[in-house]
Amino acid sequence: MALATLGFSCDKQIDWELLYQEADLLVVEGKITNEAGPHEVRLTTPVYEMNGNPEPVSGAEVEINDGTAVHVLVEDPDRAGIYLTPPGFAGELNHYYQLRIRYGTKRITAVTHMVEVTPFQDMFLYQAQEDPPLLGAVISDSDVPAIVRMELDWSHVQGYGDEPDSTTHAVVYHYTLNGVDVNKLFKPAQEQIRFPPGTRVFREKESVNVWYGEFLRGVLSETDWRGGMFDVLPGNARTNMQGEAIGFFTAAEVIRDTIVIR
């Protein structure tokens, strides 16, 4: 005769007292390029709630030191928390730049370096649909770290003139970063853009230095690459801020062109 042993257990509720504290930090988003400015540095407060809106930080003193001169940024009168470089200011290849921020008792600095951008990489087209004809595109990785932004517009193509902008325009980003990220290789499926022959593509490619590449990897791990098989633990992306701040300040060389897809 077989005997069955039954085990019983009970669940006990435990209330954990979690220590939660909002850090008194600034969030800094700044980029200068080789193109004539003005360029922007954005200062906000951190967001601690899902889908919360960051509050702009006004009244800060912001400047950029290029090693030979100090360029004072002025807050945009129409956009609180947005600080603008002097008109015509442009960064130079292989130069270092230091961002300085003074806000109340806070003293924040960040150093960045502009590296060279390489020519646009290949874009491979394939037919995704025959009637009506629609194409798809695959962008190959750059030979060095870079960001490619492509704005597609087919509103002028016959048969699409009366369509709303949301169905005749698209923006695509392609990131090439150092290293192999398993969560990028197994990232969740994303929407595939389909467009007709005759589409205009406005392309922009910017260089990414080593420090900015590490920051972008952290951001992408929390956004585009999240939801796959190998998610990372949530946390703030790496920063080059020294002082009571998070975010990033970078410099990039930029190239642009326009092509028509036939």
Side-chain angles (χ1 to χ4, degrees):
M1 180 176 63
L3 297 178
T5 302
L6 299 179
F8 296 92
S9 64
C10 61
D11 294 328
K12 180 180 179 181
Q13 179 175 329
I14 300 176
D15 296 324
W16 294 94
E17 294 185 7
L18 300 179
L19 297 177
Y20 173 75
Q21 183 177 5
E22 295 184 0
D24 183 19
L25 299 173
L26 294 185
V27 180
V28 182
E29 302 169 71
K31 179 187 294 183
I32 60 174
T33 74
N34 58 307
E35 299 177 321
H39 304 289
E40 297 182 357
V41 173
R42 183 183 187 216
L43 302 183
T44 59
T45 58
V47 175
Y48 295 98
E49 297 178 356
M50 185 70 70
N51 300 321
N53 292 318
E55 293 293 329
V57 173
S58 293
E61 298 177 42
V62 183
E63 61 188 27
I64 294 175
N65 184 353
D66 64 7
T68 58
V70 175
H71 307 271
V72 177
L73 282 68
V74 177
E75 188 171 7
D76 190 327
D78 299 320
R79 296 180 297 163
I82 303 295
Y83 298 82
L84 305 175
T85 62
F89 173 83
E92 296 183 36
L93 183 63
N94 296 323
H95 278 228
Y96 284 85
Y97 298 89
Q98 182 187 52
L99 175 69
R100 300 172 181 168
I101 301 171
R102 290 182 290 273
Y103 181 69
T105 60
K106 293 180 172 61
R107 300 293 184 268
I108 299 161
T109 61
V111 175
T112 194
H113 177 229
M114 185 182 293
V115 297
E116 183 180 10
V117 68
T118 57
F120 286 102
Q121 59 261 38
D122 293 331
M123 180 171 63
F124 302 97
L125 301 175
Y126 62 91
Q127 186 168 25
Q129 181 178 301
E130 292 186 3
D131 189 19
L134 293 177
L135 305 173
V138 176
I139 306 172
S140 60
D141 282 345
S142 176
D143 51 344
V144 296
I147 304 172
V148 173
R149 180 185 184 274
M150 300 198 313
E151 181 180 343
L152 293 82
D153 175 11
W154 58 94
S155 59
H156 58 283
V157 175
Q158 185 176 0
Y160 294 90
D162 296 328
E163 297 290 328
D165 286 350
S166 59
T167 61
T168 59
H169 293 76
V171 177
V172 178
Y173 285 87
H174 183 86
Y175 298 87
T176 302
L177 305 176
N178 282 326
V180 177
D181 296 275
V182 66
N183 51 336
K184 175 186 177 182
L185 296 175
F186 295 95
K187 65 183 178 182
Q190 296 179 326
E191 179 184 5
Q192 300 297 311
I193 305 299
R194 303 288 183 257
F195 47 88
T199 294
R200 295 193 190 102
V201 182
F202 306 93
R203 299 193 298 177
E204 173 186 297
K205 183 177 182 181
E206 67 178 63
S207 61
V208 172
N209 62 40
V210 174
W211 309 316
Y212 191 46
E214 290 299 315
F215 170 78
L216 289 173
R217 290 174 67 187
V219 171
L220 291 169
S221 294
E222 297 284 350
T223 53
D224 288 20
W225 299 348
R226 193 158 188 82
M229 297 174 60
F230 298 95
D231 279 347
V232 299
L233 292 174
N236 288 330
R238 192 171 294 186
T239 179
N240 64 343
M241 296 292 145
Q242 298 293 322
E244 298 174 90
I246 56 176
F248 213 88
F249 170 63
T250 192
E253 187 179 35
V254 176
I255 57 173
R256 305 176 192 272
D257 73 359
T258 301
I259 60 175
V260 178
I261 297 177
R262 301 299 185 184

